[in-house]
């Protein structure tokens, strides 16, 4: 039994998901003739109260498309120093859109409306033009933290006053919705564009979706094509998404319960300096300075438990659909007995 807690992207489709996939009606999506893709896009657009949605092969491509839709070369994007678009998208912000990031020194990947106001460049020709604000919910590098919707609304007001686009990287928005008992509609109301992932907590093999209203989404499909993201009989994958929306959202609460139990267990270990607050399916914890992180990771790997390092003696565990109760019991007992 291999326990893989490196990411919630390691899941494999369940048998029922695979059945839904093989039974999908498909067509050529470049001609917009794949009924299952069309159904998924319509459904997700409606969930967020937007007119348009577009299926993407990755969350990175959906975010990169959103950046392109909101900016012109030379512009500046306001985001947190932990942002996925800044840290983990291979410099695509500058490569694809020719824009720079104005980083906010936030807390666990989140910041306040007042910090956005400070980060907006004055309207003078020698400044880069601030054209959008981007936030992430839940925050990845911030340990699965959930934003306060009221703070988001304050940022929306600042975006309106300053004519800035507002994009949500909602790769794990489903986790936030379940943890905070919020709705997709509440998020659709405040953002211009939202990217969501089907391939993380929802357990699909592939897929992300970008939603927005017709005006901002007008060129989304052209940009996706430029990025090489046009696909053909991709309804097989969209079917996995439709299945996941029906069956895999509410169960995220189980993942959240398990991370909290892991956190309680870690807190009791003397080799651990700090466990970051746990809100969803991510646990980030820091080892004491005299404990080598590689030794810790190796010790767990010897027991077939796999986790990853976040740098600076911090480690991460992520729970997901394929992390079973049996695995959970084993992990807790291995942790309790760990000697370094
Ligand atoms: C995973 C992730 C993405 C996109 O990831 P892909 O691997 O490209 O699908 C975007 N933003 C955040 C916060 C993520 O965690």
């Amino acid at each position: 039994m291999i326990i893989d807690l490196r990411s919630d992207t390691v899941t494999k489709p369940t048998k029922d998901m695979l059945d839904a996939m093989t039974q999908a009606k498909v067509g050529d999506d470049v001609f917009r003739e794949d009924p299952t893709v069309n159904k998924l896009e319509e459904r997700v657009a409606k969930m967020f109260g937007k007119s348009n949605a577009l299926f993407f092969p990755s969350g990175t491509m959906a975010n990169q498309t959103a950046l392109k839709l909101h900016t012109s070369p030379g512009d500046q994007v306001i985001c947190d120093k932990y942002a996925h678009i800044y840290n983990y998208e291979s410099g695509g912000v500058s490569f694809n859109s020719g824009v720079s990031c104005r980083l906010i020194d936030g807390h666990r990947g989140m910041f306040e409306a007042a910090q956005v106001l400070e980060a907006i460049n004055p309207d003078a020709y020698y400044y880069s033009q601030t054209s959008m604000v981007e936030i992430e919910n839940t925050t990845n590098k911030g340990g699965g933290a959930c934003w306060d919707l009221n703070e988001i609304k304050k940022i929306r007001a600042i975006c309106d006053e300053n004519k800035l686009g507002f994009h949500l990287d909602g790769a794990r928005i489903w986790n936030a919705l379940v943890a905070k008992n919020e709705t997709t509609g509440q998020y659709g109301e405040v953002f211009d564009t939202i990217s969501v992932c089907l391939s993380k907590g929802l357990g699909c093999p592939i897929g992300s979706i970008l939603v927005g209203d017709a005006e901002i989404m007008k060129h989304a499909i052209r940009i996706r094509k430029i990025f090489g993201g046009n696909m053909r009989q991709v309804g097989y994958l969209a079917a996995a998404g439709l299945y996941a929306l029906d069956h895999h959202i509410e169960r995220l609460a189980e993942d959240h319960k398990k991370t909290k139990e892991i956190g309680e267990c870690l807190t009791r270990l003397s080799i651990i300096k700090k466990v970051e607050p746990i809100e969803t399916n991510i646990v980030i914890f820091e080892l004491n300075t005299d404990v080598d992180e590689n030794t810790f990771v190796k010790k767990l790997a010897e027991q077939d438990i796999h986790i990853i390092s976040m740098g600076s003696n911090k480690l991460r565990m992520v729970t997901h659909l394929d992390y079973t109760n049996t695995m959970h019991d084993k992990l807790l007992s291995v942790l309790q007995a760990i000697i370094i």
Side-chain angles (χ1 to χ4, degrees), residues 265-276:
C265 178
L266 290 170
T267 310
R268 288 196 291 268
L269 302 183
S270 60
I271 53 168
I272 284 163
K273 186 169 162 191
K274 188 177 162 221
V275 181
E276 290 188 5

Side-chain angles (χ1 to χ4, degrees), residues 35-300:
T36 312
V37 171
N38 294 343
K39 192 171 162 190
L40 176 67
E41 290 177 348
E42 274 163 33
R43 177 166 170 185
V44 175
K46 210 164 162 198
M47 282 172 85
F48 285 91
K50 297 291 192 194
S51 64
N52 291 45
L54 195 62
F55 188 59
F56 282 82
S58 74
T60 298
M61 198 190 282
N63 279 337
Q64 290 298 315
T65 298
L67 287 159
K68 192 76 192 154
L69 292 173
H70 285 285
T71 63
S72 299
D75 287 357
Q76 200 159 68
V77 177
I78 296 172
C79 63
D80 190 86
K81 65 178 188 296
Y82 279 0
H84 193 278
I85 58 161
Y86 176 71
N87 290 285
Y88 304 122
E89 298 190 8
S90 314
V93 179
S94 46
F95 190 102
N96 296 316
S97 295
V99 300
S100 57
C101 290
R102 175 69 163 261
L103 300 180
I104 294 186
D105 186 16
H107 176 61
R108 303 180 67 220
M110 302 175 292
F111 43 81
E112 286 167 16
Q115 291 173 287
V116 174
L117 210 49
E118 271 172 33
I120 299 171
N121 282 333
D123 185 18
Y125 73 88
Y126 43 81
Y127 282 106
S128 171
Q129 184 166 323
T130 308
S131 55
M132 74 181 285
V133 178
E134 190 266 4
I135 73 164
E136 210 170 290
N137 200 19
T138 68
T139 65
N140 179 342
K141 204 171 155 69
C146 301
W147 277 77
D148 170 6
L149 196 51
N150 287 322
E151 203 60 39
I152 294 178
K153 286 180 183 163
K154 286 185 201 159
I155 297 174
R156 168 81 257 178
I158 291 171
C159 289
D160 286 340
E161 281 157 27
N162 294 275
K163 295 192 176 61
L164 307 178
F166 197 17
H167 174 69
L168 171 66
D169 177 349
R172 292 191 182 83
I173 189 65
W174 318 109
N175 296 87
L177 297 178
V178 168
K180 307 248 321 201
N181 206 13
E182 293 165 343
T183 65
T184 43
Q186 287 174 297
Y187 281 85
E189 263 172 33
V190 279
F191 289 94
D192 298 311
T193 50
I194 301 175
S195 62
V196 301
C197 283
L198 302 167
S199 57
K200 298 217 161 131
L202 298 198
C204 295
I206 203 174
S208 286
I209 296 167
L210 181 67
V211 297
D213 278 332
E215 201 187 330
I216 185 87
M217 291 292 282
K218 195 169 157 213
H219 297 298
I221 196 163
R222 182 189 299 274
I223 293 164
R224 186 184 69 175
K225 170 75 177 168
I226 292 169
F227 289 160
N230 54 307
M231 299 177 283
R232 303 290 180 173
Q233 287 71 22
V234 76
Y236 294 115
L237 298 171
L242 286 164
Y243 179 87
L245 292 175
D246 285 331
H247 299 98
H248 291 170
I249 296 181
E250 279 166 30
R251 65 150 303 284
L252 291 171
E254 292 170 35
D255 298 344
H256 299 175
K257 182 169 168 275
K258 288 194 177 95
T259 46
K260 284 183 184 137
E261 288 165 2
I262 296 170
E264 280 161 24
C265 178
L266 290 170
T267 310
R268 288 196 291 268
L269 302 183
S270 60
I271 53 168
I272 284 163
K273 186 169 162 191
K274 188 177 162 221
V275 181
E276 290 188 5
I278 298 165
E279 293 181 57
T280 54
N281 68 328
I282 302 178
V283 188
I284 294 181
F285 59 100
E286 197 176 340
L287 299 168
N288 283 338
T289 39
D290 58 348
V291 184
D292 177 44
E293 64 175 54
N294 295 322
T295 314
F296 186 86
V297 170
K298 232 174 98 193
K299 271 260 155 127
L300 289 183

